[in-house]
Amino acid sequence: QVQLVESGGGLVQAGGSLRLSCAASGSIFSINDIGWYRQAPGKQRELVARISQGGVTKYADSVKGRVTISRDNAKNTVSLQMSSLKPEDTAVYYCHAVVRTGRWSSLHDYWGQGTQVTVSS
């Protein structure tokens, strides 16, 4: 089994900064893509940012220039540094990873429980 645990969420004023972290643990041989999704009330879950095993990144247009994703392959962690936050960024943020659990295993998707980010006006 694989577990993803998020941390770093909270309440921040517009224009402020926040850093989210996610730690993966369990039976992990390797992690392919890992990243962050978010879901606001009444809206669909959307990709915020992801980073590949080789460090290739992808960001949602709505957050480009305001967030930076990074990963530590040795520690199986990923972080999302967020700045210039807007009320529209308010959502539950979920860590997501594509994981190979064994040398001969296929890739599977895993999700964290989520962490709340609230940006006040």
Side-chain angles (χ1 to χ4, degrees):
Q1 60 180 349
V2 175
Q3 299 82 41
L4 303 178
V5 180
E6 304 100 332
S7 62
L11 175 64
V12 64
Q13 292 189 352
S17 299
L18 212 57
R19 183 179 178 88
L20 306 182
S21 297
C22 173
S25 62
S27 182
I28 299 173
F29 182 79
S30 64
I31 300 175
N32 194 348
D33 287 3
I34 189 167
W36 295 89
Y37 289 72
R38 68 186 181 188
Q39 187 166 26
K43 301 186 68 175
Q44 291 187 321
R45 187 172 299 187
E46 63 177 354
L47 174 71
V48 179
R50 65 169 176 248
I51 183 169
S52 73
Q53 190 174 46
V56 179
T57 59
K58 179 178 176 62
Y59 297 94
D61 289 340
S62 59
V63 303
K64 284 182 179 178
R66 301 189 296 116
V67 308
T68 300
I69 189 169
S70 60
R71 66 185 288 173
D72 187 328
N73 291 331
K75 297 180 179 179
N76 290 330
T77 59
V78 63
S79 296
L80 188 72
Q81 180 65 51
M82 309 173 70
S83 63
S84 301
L85 286 166
K86 306 174 181 179
E88 307 93 270
D89 295 318
T90 295
V92 177
Y93 284 69
Y94 297 91
C95 182
H96 169 263
V98 181
V99 180
R100 190 184 304 278
T101 58
R103 182 178 181 181
W104 311 110
S105 300
S106 59
L107 296 168
H108 296 280
D109 293 286
Y110 292 90
W111 293 89
Q113 290 296 313
T115 185
Q116 177 71 46
V117 172
T118 302
V119 184
S120 62
S121 302

